[in-house]
Each structure stands twice: as C-alpha cells, then as structure tokens.
Amino acid sequence: MYIADQTWPELGDYVAESSLAVVPLGSTEQHGPHLPLATDHLIAEALAREAADRTGFLCTPTVNVGVSPHHRQFHGTMWVDPPQFRDYVESMTRNLAYHGVDRVVFVNAHGGNVQHLREVGRRLRDDGTMYAIEWMWDESIPDLVTDLFDHPGPHGGPKETSMIMHIARDLVREGELDSARDGGVVDLSDDHLRQHGARTFYDAVENSGNGVFGDQTDASPEAGEELFEAATDQLVRLLSWLDDQPIDDLLAPAHVDPQPGSRR
C-alpha cells in the first residue's frame, strides 16, 4: 500500500489493523557512464513498493537524495550532509509514529546511508518511539551476488547494472558497458584501498577515473530479475518477522540490576 495514493480515512483503517511501514531511501549520484544518477533510489523504491504490494504493509515516498559527498566530483551528484540527513529521516519517521506506526524498515540502496540510518534507528528505539532498522538489498543476498558475478563491484558494477536493466532498462546506456569497465576498476582489492592499515582516500574519484567498479559487461536483465526476486523475498520475510514481534521485545532493554536505589 503506497501511502500517497490513499485517503486519510483509508489510512485510519490501516493503522487500526497494522503498525508497520517501509521507507525507501537511495541517492542521486553518479553511477558511471552507463547508469543514471537515479540508480540507487530507483532500486530502493522498486523493492519497497513490490514488498509492500505483496504484504499489504504501508510504503512511504522515497528519499531520493542521501549522503553522497564522496561522489561530488562527478557532474550532477547531489548530497546532504550527514547531520541534516539524519535529522530529516528521523523527523519524517516520527511522523509515522504519531499516526500509530511503531516499527519501520528503512529499505536502503545506498551504502553511504547505512551508518546514518542505523543511528536514526538507535535514537528512535532508545527514546521508546519505535523500532526502526536499516535493510540493504545486496547484503540480504550475498551468496547470489557472488554466484552471478566474478567482479560485482561495490558501486556501479554488474549487480546494480543488472537491477536497472530489470527495473528500467531504457535508462541503461548499454553501449557504454565496455567503457564503464575499461575506464573504472574491475577488481578493487584491499591493497588498493589501504596503506599500512589506513584508508588513505575519501572520494570515489581517487580510486576510479569514471567512478565505477566491477565488470559491467557481466550484467543482464535476467540476472537483474533473479536479484530482484531474491531480494524482494528477503524483504518480505523480514517484514513478516518484524510484524510478528511484540513491541516490548523490540525496544531497548532495561538497565541491568542493580541500579541506583534498587535496594531501597
């Protein structure tokens, strides 16, 4: 159920029966010469809407701009700074709590958002507002990703390319797959990322001239469909599990005894 398509009385019926919502989040950032800047938020929205359709749970509008300053050297990349991103997502999610939602899954498709969504979830849980967790699509199906691709790449690689081929093939510049591979980095090893145990880079352009990693020529719409179905299945399972949990079991545990004054 997509929240923006409903009337307020219809949503009253929903919150009378259910207390779970999904919030898709991505980014608007460079994904090489072959993929649109919309890649991450297209994937997040497609997965969230599909899982909501299959389960009947509520899906909110997508947060399209995320924490992406590490891609800023490439034309068109948009970003918000981490404190503002956290505050915005927290404020928006508290809206849901006001209407009766007490558990949320952040359906995320951008690695730069992960730690900040975890922090928002902690804030909301620690003050007793709700239970909110971050879910990253490719982390839910790691074995399938490695089975499908020799060089999946952490950004703009064949896994994301395949997903967009499945979701919005007309946005993939398929004539640029060879140049994406040849102008990027196929195998990003630990030696490439560290010097004597320290990460010496901050921005994507420092490691990849065209901003992407992996072998994009391995991508296919068939692989994208397989990834999409497997990730959606994992998300549906997560939503069903979360819906079954008593809210008291999800919120922050009490302080261990003894506490000050507990022997009075």
Side-chain angles (χ1 to χ4, degrees), residues 87-98:
D87 288 348
Y88 177 84
V89 174
E90 179 181 348
S91 179
M92 186 184 79
T93 308
R94 286 185 186 277
N95 295 174
L96 298 171
Y98 177 80

Side-chain angles (χ1 to χ4, degrees), residues 5 47 78 90 109 138 262:
D5 289 342
L47 289 167
M78 301 182 69
E90 179 181 348
D138 57 334
S262 62

Side-chain angles (χ1 to χ4, degrees), residues 33-237:
H34 62 302
L35 289 179
L37 274 70
T39 291
D40 287 345
H41 70 250
L42 287 174
I43 293 173
E45 181 169 342
L47 289 167
R49 294 283 291 267
E50 182 66 22
D53 286 346
R54 294 185 188 186
T55 60
F57 292 124
L58 197 66
C59 181
T60 73
T62 305
V63 178
N64 289 341
V65 178
V67 182
S68 303
H70 49 296
H71 294 291
R72 70 188 186 277
Q73 288 89 352
F74 296 95
H75 301 309
T77 293
M78 301 182 69
W79 71 92
V80 290
D81 291 329
Q84 286 71 35
F85 176 79
R86 291 191 296 265
D87 288 348
Y88 177 84
V89 174
E90 179 181 348
S91 179
M92 186 184 79
T93 308
R94 286 185 186 277
N95 295 174
L96 298 171
Y98 177 80
H99 293 298
V101 171
D102 64 14
R103 59 204 74 193
V104 161
V105 174
F106 295 126
V107 177
N108 181 36
H110 173 51
N113 294 340
V114 172
Q115 63 178 315
H116 308 295
L117 294 174
R118 290 283 297 171
E119 174 60 26
V120 170
R122 174 173 286 281
R123 292 182 191 177
L124 294 167
R125 188 185 77 142
D126 285 356
D127 68 12
T129 299
M130 65 162 58
Y131 182 77
I133 51 173
E134 183 267 348
W135 178 84
M136 184 81 172
W137 74 270
D138 57 334
E139 293 180 359
S140 75
I141 50 171
D143 292 341
L144 178 58
V145 170
T146 55
D147 285 346
L148 288 174
F149 311 113
D150 291 332
H151 301 288
H155 181 77
K159 62 184 179 184
E160 289 185 321
T161 304
S162 295
M163 283 285 271
I164 298 300
M165 284 178 167
H166 174 61
I167 295 166
R169 189 168 185 176
D170 59 314
L171 296 180
V172 180
R173 282 64 168 177
E174 296 189 36
E176 297 290 338
L177 296 182
D178 287 338
S179 66
R181 177 197 61 200
D182 297 341
V185 176
V186 173
D187 185 9
L188 191 64
S189 66
D190 287 342
D191 290 343
H192 192 73
L193 296 174
R194 296 179 182 273
Q195 291 292 333
H196 309 292
R199 291 181 60 161
T200 56
F201 66 94
Y202 286 95
D203 297 324
V205 72
E206 295 177 82
N207 290 314
S208 172
N210 69 1
V212 295
F213 308 91
D215 185 355
Q216 291 76 15
T217 63
D218 278 348
S220 71
E222 293 78 18
E225 182 178 11
E226 190 171 354
L227 292 168
F228 185 85
E229 288 300 321
T232 300
D233 180 67
Q234 289 297 310
L235 180 54
V236 166
R237 289 170 181 263

